[in-house]
Amino acid sequence: MSAKPQRHRTARRLTLSALALTAGAGALVAAALPAGAASGGGTAPGRTVDVQMLSFNDFHGTLEPPQGSSGTVTERQADGTTKAIPAGGAEYLATALRDARKGHEYSVTAAAGDMIGGSPMLSGLFHDEPTVEALNKMKLDVTSVGNHEFDEGKTELRRMAYGGCHPVDGCFEYGKEYTGAQFQYLAANVTDEKTKRPLMSPTFIWKKGDVKIGFIGVTLEGTPDVVTADGVKGLKFGDEVETINKYAAELNKQGVKSIVALIHEGGLPASGAYNYDCDVPGAGAGISGAIVDIAKNVDPKVDALVTGHTHQAYSCNIPDPAGNPRTVTSAASYGRLFTDTTLTYDRQTKDIVRTPVKSPKPVNKVVTRDLPKAPDMTELITRWNALAAPVASRPMGYISADIAGRGSEAPEKPLGDLIADAQLDATSPADRGGAQLAIMNPGGIRADLAYKAAGAEGDGVVTYGESYTVQPFNNLMNVVDLTGAQLITALQQQVSGTVNGPNPKILQVSKGFTYTLDMTKSGADRIVVDSVRLNGAAIDPAKTYRVAMNEFLAGGGDGFTVLKEHKNKLVGIPDLEAFNNLLGKSSAAAPIAPPAADRITVVK
């Protein structure tokens, strides 16, 4: 960025039926509890007490309501139709959480990673300090790390947790030093390669009175596949199941029998509706993806799994290895939902009673925007917006209608096409790389572009803050040599392999590059090889092509390992600068129209 708000600099840094409880089951208590066992009855405490667990995931610093379709949730209606409901925003999330806690003496709030990183400008410009401040005020108790917590590396993650002003940008508010997170970050499966010790605490024990619940936090083992190499340098990411089982045993040895795993890995429900029942026709039948195998192998000592990463909404019962029901939940992303779970704690066994009668199914609740705004969140957003305004409000260009990006569920996204075109435009001149085509990873598109003005800029105006929110990572552009065969392999890696086979990641492509994606087939066969063309000509496997992409993709990110085999790399401008340069070629009289998204032909 060429301009930054004024900052005070400082050198200082801080650093179910009646079943007997079996050993290790961690879940089943005899249904026949003594008289008066209901929680809260009489003057003496009952044998069981209901603990409310509120949870969410993948917040990504989204303090203001997300723009466009990424700021809605899909609700399935009784007649089978669906309805889009505007949702999200810290002002409403804070109110929703506070209202939900009312009347609950025992309430814990947990999260499953990606609280920061990939954030809109309001938070990202300030290295996500505003988000941590907001989460502190929301009384978050504990969260696992996610892959995006490593976007700026382990040193910055520690600063986020423990406080201190940024080592380069200093303190953002005059006279104030960033104090860190008041909640506990967990990273049980992230170890330092040199010391072999966990990077951060592996477990957290929440206590209230005689009630103790242990939390284990892990991120996906494949974090190095979805983060730049610099972000995970010197770190090792262990198997999720092995790690959780190890620390569940350790918690048991400490006398903690009630255990929740916070896992930044997730699943893919058969429906995008937040209220879809993924337990029809049977437990967990309506969900697929990495979390299913994890859930089926995590030790029965663990009583509930709070998950994330896929930005999906679900509340499922996936049987544990002993065959007993266990909840697996996720609350979509961006603070649009939160999950309300009842954990029935047995004071005698110190364990969670996992029966349908005693523990109702967790419910995902919508953070609607008709709630009263939380005044402390309004103050926080106003204060940080004032600091960001000189940069954020600058107009970059004009659009004629909404351009869907993150909010689009289609393989090819209109905003993805626009970004790829911007990258080709920036790198096609001979002295800037001579690129013939550009490819863009879909996960790098963090928002939509909305036609309606978010502030005083006017409808159709794209501000710097809005373009930054779309592309916040500031990846440098790379232009590289790839053979036609390598290019085709890259397309096949979108829909195959351990990373993308279960959850395809369809690259966004620049104008002139076309092919057919046949989703009736499986794996690499989904790419119709003889359909791959550049400006109408078939791709020649033996020919060399100049291809533009961000440095994350050029490093093999998102499972595109073949892209690391490139040659003759030229490093260019940041991807955000390329995007803004293309926006700058538009005008109020000639705005950019949404691309037709007709470059990838999808056969279903």
Side-chain angles (χ1 to χ4, degrees):
M1 289 173 291
S2 60
K4 292 185 179 180
Q6 291 291 322
R7 303 181 180 116
H8 169 62
R9 296 182 176 272
T10 177
R12 189 156 86 91
R13 291 176 53 202
L14 301 177
T15 48
L16 298 252
S17 56
L19 294 169
L21 178 67
T22 56
L28 298 172
V29 178
L33 296 175
S39 62
T43 56
R47 173 162 168 181
T48 65
V49 59
D50 285 346
V51 179
Q52 177 192 62
M53 179 172 69
L54 305 178
S55 59
F56 56 103
N57 50 277
D58 297 275
F59 185 64
H60 290 290
T62 312
L63 297 172
E64 296 179 296
Q67 283 194 299
S69 54
S70 58
T72 64
V73 293
T74 300
E75 182 177 78
R76 188 179 187 276
Q77 307 298 300
D79 62 0
T81 61
T82 58
K83 177 182 178 182
I85 302 175
E91 292 164 300
Y92 307 107
L93 177 60
T95 295
L97 293 174
R98 290 163 184 168
D99 286 351
R101 293 182 189 125
K102 291 176 181 177
H104 293 272
E105 182 182 356
Y106 296 84
S107 183
V108 59
T109 303
D114 278 7
M115 294 294 98
I116 59 174
S119 305
M121 186 175 181
L122 176 58
S123 185
L125 183 65
F126 305 107
H127 299 279
D128 279 314
E129 291 180 19
T131 291
V132 175
E133 180 186 345
L135 294 173
N136 287 342
K137 291 177 182 294
M138 290 184 205
K139 302 300 182 186
L140 179 65
D141 291 296
V142 58
T143 183
S144 67
V145 294
N147 52 287
H148 279 283
E149 264 80 16
F150 295 92
D151 283 347
E152 295 189 51
K154 63 182 180 182
T155 301
E156 176 65 3
L157 173 55
R158 286 196 182 105
R159 188 184 76 86
M160 283 286 97
Y162 307 127
C165 293
H166 192 273
V168 175
D169 293 334
C171 298
F172 296 109
E173 294 186 284
Y174 185 80
K176 291 184 181 180
E177 183 168 289
Y178 172 66
T179 57
Q182 294 168 12
F183 49 91
Q184 181 68 60
Y185 260 121
L186 302 181
N189 67 329
V190 186
T191 54
D192 188 290
E193 287 182 343
K194 290 183 179 179
T195 66
K196 313 299 183 187
R197 295 175 61 84
L199 176 69
M200 307 180 90
S201 299
T203 62
F204 167 76
I205 301 173
W206 178 83
K207 300 177 183 177
K208 184 174 178 65
D210 60 347
V211 175
K212 292 192 295 186
I213 298 176
F215 289 85
I216 304 166
V218 299
T219 186
L220 68 154
E221 184 181 11
T223 291
D225 297 324
V226 292
V227 176
T228 59
D230 285 345
V232 294
K233 187 176 181 180
L235 299 175
K236 182 178 180 181
F237 293 78
D239 180 86
E240 303 96 335
V241 172
E242 290 178 8
T243 303
I244 292 168
N245 290 350
K246 170 187 173 182
Y247 285 104
E250 289 196 10
L251 285 169
N252 265 211
K253 288 178 183 176
Q254 297 173 41
V256 179
K257 305 296 183 182
S258 299
I259 302 172
V260 175
L262 307 175
I263 310 171
H264 191 71
E265 179 61 289
L268 301 167
S271 167
Y274 80 90
N275 55 340
Y276 163 72
D277 189 348
C278 50
D279 290 329
V280 174
I287 189 169
S288 60
I291 199 61
V292 177
D293 283 340
I294 291 173
K296 289 180 177 178
N297 288 284
V298 164
D299 196 297
K301 293 183 184 71
V302 177
D303 299 299
L305 278 58
V306 176
T307 72
H309 188 55
T310 58
H311 289 209
Q312 301 298 307
Y314 48 84
S315 174
C316 307
N317 265 310
I318 301 177
D320 68 19
N324 301 317
R326 180 166 57 192
T327 60
V328 180
T329 63
S330 173
S333 59
Y334 306 146
R336 294 172 294 159
L337 300 173
F338 69 93
T339 310
D340 193 336
T341 301
T342 299
L343 301 173
T344 300
Y345 183 89
D346 187 319
R347 287 187 161 103
Q348 182 171 310
T349 64
K350 299 182 177 12
D351 210 339
I352 300 301
V353 184
R354 265 203 271 147
T355 68
V357 173
K358 292 302 296 179
S359 297
K361 188 173 181 178
V363 177
N364 275 325
K365 298 183 176 180
V366 182
V367 179
T368 59
R369 297 184 198 160
D370 56 1
L371 292 167
K373 293 182 178 182
D376 57 340
M377 292 297 126
T378 302
E379 184 278 332
L380 181 150
I381 290 169
T382 301
R383 177 163 45 86
W384 286 102
N385 261 330
L387 289 174
V391 175
S393 61
R394 294 204 316 262
M396 292 291 108
Y398 300 82
I399 57 176
S400 63
D402 289 352
I403 304 181
R406 191 73 181 194
S408 169
E409 295 183 1
E412 181 183 357
K413 308 172 193 308
L415 188 51
D417 285 357
L418 186 63
I419 290 170
D421 287 349
Q423 295 179 353
L424 178 61
D425 185 68
T427 57
S428 58
D431 61 344
R432 296 184 183 179
Q436 297 166 273
L437 70 146
I439 54 177
M440 171 65 190
N441 57 306
I445 306 168
R446 305 307 301 181
D448 299 342
L449 282 182
Y451 176 79
K452 184 175 176 58
E457 70 274 12
D459 290 348
V461 178
V462 179
T463 65
Y464 184 87
E466 289 167 337
S467 63
Y468 180 103
T469 294
V470 168
Q471 288 210 275
F473 300 113
N474 220 31
N475 278 315
L476 292 175
M477 291 304 304
N478 288 186
V479 185
V480 302
D481 282 353
L482 290 176
T483 66
Q486 289 170 323
L487 196 53
I488 290 169
T489 298
L491 295 181
Q492 292 171 330
Q493 287 181 342
Q494 300 176 112
V495 289
S496 63
T498 56
V499 177
N500 297 337
N503 183 18
K505 293 185 179 70
I506 306 304
L507 295 167
Q508 309 298 287
V509 297
S510 57
K511 56 189 174 185
F513 189 69
T514 58
Y515 69 95
T516 297
L517 178 66
D518 189 347
M519 296 304 288
T520 67
K521 297 181 179 179
S522 62
D525 290 339
R526 289 174 167 174
I527 303 301
V528 181
V529 174
D530 61 8
S531 73
V532 184
R533 298 181 176 275
L534 179 61
N535 299 323
I539 291 291
D540 182 347
K543 187 177 176 181
T544 296
Y545 298 86
R546 292 292 282 168
V547 185
M549 66 192 76
N550 60 45
E551 60 185 339
F552 171 69
L553 274 179
D558 271 352
F560 294 98
T561 54
V562 70
L563 297 180
K564 291 193 293 186
E565 300 172 12
H566 63 257
K567 295 180 180 179
N568 299 324
K569 179 172 74 173
L570 177 71
V571 178
I573 62 175
D575 53 6
L576 176 59
E577 186 176 340
F579 187 44
N580 282 331
N581 286 346
L582 184 67
L583 290 171
K585 294 182 179 182
S586 65
S587 66
I592 295 171
D598 56 1
R599 301 166 191 183
I600 305 172
T601 300
V602 181
V603 178
K604 297 182 180 179

